Amino acid sequence: MSFVKYLRRDSLLQLARKPSLHRNSMLQTCRTLIIETAPPESVKLNRLCGSDSGIMEVALDRPVAKNAINKEMLKSLEKTFETIGKDTSARVVMITSLVPGVFCAGADLKQRRSMTPSEVHTFVNSLRYMFSFIEGLRIPTIAAIEGAALGGGLEMALSCDLRVCGEGAVFSLPETGLAIIPGAGGTQRLSRLVGRSVSKELIFTGRKIDAREAANKGLVNFCVPAGEAHEKAMEIAQQISEKGPMAIKMAKKAIDEGIETSLASGLEVEEMCYQELLNTQDRLEGLAAFAEKRKPLYTGK
């Protein structure tokens, strides 16, 4: 952000001619103005420590637009998840919201209206890539959902391995009502999760479903009392982080790659993943801890 946004060129020249005390005062005023008008970070990364070390929290925080994803927020998401992808200490990721009553309202349609068709195409492709990147992380991902998960917000939740919601959560892919379709993975991930017929009904009608119906349809893994989704997601994350890190990664790989093939090919993927674990220090530690009736100390090696 530049001073020029707030001061004209002639003002800057006048500032240079002022006595130092007055100039310093004006500079301080400008600095304050810049700090106060700088947009806050819409995506926050929190690395937990202590017994929860290895758990990463990605918090959506754009209250002015109910966490609707604009270009700037998308860049922040990309930066955050690229950081997580490179962090060898990361064991599990939780996506949550700091905005009461909403997980994510989808793409920012106000910004969308000012885009050209080419810009829309680029944005949606980038969003699709972002959600595929989340899905492709080697470590488990959990969406903790309170309130509305609509459009791109639901597509982001679908890219996670697990979903936990509070009873007040609401889900919808309303794109057909805007004469478009879910374009960031919704048509593909929803149908793979809940089946072709249910997916068609939800996308064709664009209707909203509540938390209980989402749980009954298999859209979410757990439905808990309103306000407790984060707590439940944290409980699951803690359970995962206690397990052998390499085993969790190989389990995810075996499931994700095997499910898209025949049973015979899937079993070959499983065998390959199992072989990857045979010579690890963690496997020996697991056996030793079992024999000694103690909690294993896994290092991911």
Side-chain angles (χ1 to χ4, degrees):
M1 190 173 296
S2 171
F3 281 157
V4 179
K5 184 174 181 180
Y6 305 103
L7 299 175
R8 298 193 307 275
R9 177 179 171 81
D10 57 343
S11 297
L12 288 172
L13 292 174
Q14 291 175 18
L15 179 62
R17 300 189 185 102
K18 297 288 182 181
S20 60
L21 182 60
H22 191 191
R23 182 167 63 249
N24 289 340
S25 176
M26 292 185 68
L27 284 171
Q28 182 60 45
T29 300
C30 290
R31 290 193 189 100
T32 301
L33 182 58
I34 289 171
I35 291 172
E36 289 178 350
T37 56
E41 194 68 37
S42 57
V43 181
K44 296 178 171 61
L45 176 59
N46 181 28
R47 294 177 172 85
L48 276 62
C49 57
S51 60
D52 292 330
S53 180
I55 299 176
M56 320 284 277
E57 280 191 300
V58 176
L60 310 179
D61 189 21
R62 193 176 177 233
V64 68
K66 297 182 179 179
N67 286 339
I69 304 171
N70 62 0
K71 293 178 181 178
E72 294 72 26
M73 188 173 183
L74 178 55
K75 289 179 182 178
S76 188
L77 280 168
E78 290 171 348
K79 178 181 177 181
T80 299
F81 280 100
E82 284 174 1
T83 298
I84 292 172
K86 296 174 183 178
D87 191 336
T88 57
S89 69
R91 295 193 178 186
V92 59
V93 181
M94 290 173 49
I95 303 179
T96 186
S97 168
L98 296 178
V99 181
V102 65
F103 176 72
C104 176
D108 189 332
L109 297 183
K110 290 184 178 179
Q111 186 182 73
R112 177 76 58 86
R113 290 181 62 187
S114 66
M115 295 183 187
T116 65
S118 177
E119 289 172 330
V120 172
H121 178 74
T122 299
F123 178 83
V124 174
N125 277 352
S126 298
L127 197 61
R128 186 185 305 114
Y129 170 81
M130 180 69 259
F131 295 160
S132 293
F133 187 91
I134 294 173
E135 184 179 48
L137 286 172
R138 297 185 67 196
I139 58 178
T141 51
I142 307 170
I145 304 162
E146 297 282 0
L150 311 177
L154 178 51
E155 288 179 303
M156 176 159 49
L158 289 171
S159 71
C160 294
D161 296 304
L162 306 173
R163 284 153 297 282
V164 179
C165 76
E167 289 180 338
V170 178
F171 304 87
S172 176
L173 290 175
E175 285 83 354
T176 54
L178 297 171
I180 55 176
I181 65 171
T187 63
Q188 302 306 303
R189 293 191 178 96
L190 183 63
S191 58
R192 283 164 169 76
L193 186 64
V194 302
R196 183 182 303 183
S197 181
V198 172
S199 178
K200 286 180 177 179
E201 185 263 319
L202 293 177
I203 291 174
F204 291 173
T205 65
R207 72 181 180 90
K208 293 180 180 179
I209 62 173
D210 61 23
R212 288 299 175 187
E213 185 175 357
N216 290 336
K217 292 184 182 301
L219 181 57
V220 297
N221 298 83
F222 297 94
C223 179
V224 297
E228 297 183 13
H230 182 275
E231 181 181 350
K232 182 63 178 179
M234 179 62 69
E235 176 188 327
I236 298 169
Q238 290 168 336
Q239 292 173 353
I240 293 172
S241 67
E242 292 174 353
K243 307 301 186 292
M246 285 299 297
I248 294 295
K249 291 176 182 178
M250 288 299 103
K252 178 171 178 174
K253 179 182 176 70
I255 294 169
D256 287 349
E257 295 185 9
I259 198 69
E260 300 296 336
T261 67
S262 66
L263 176 59
S265 297
L267 290 172
E268 290 178 1
V269 173
E270 180 182 87
E271 179 184 5
M272 178 189 67
C273 292
Y274 196 99
Q275 288 289 335
E276 288 284 327
L277 301 169
L278 285 179
N279 295 317
T280 62
Q281 295 177 18
D282 279 352
R283 187 182 75 87
L284 298 178
E285 167 62 14
L287 291 173
F290 178 79
E292 298 166 12
K293 298 181 179 180
R294 61 173 173 81
K295 186 176 179 178
L297 298 174
Y298 295 125
T299 62
K301 297 180 181 179

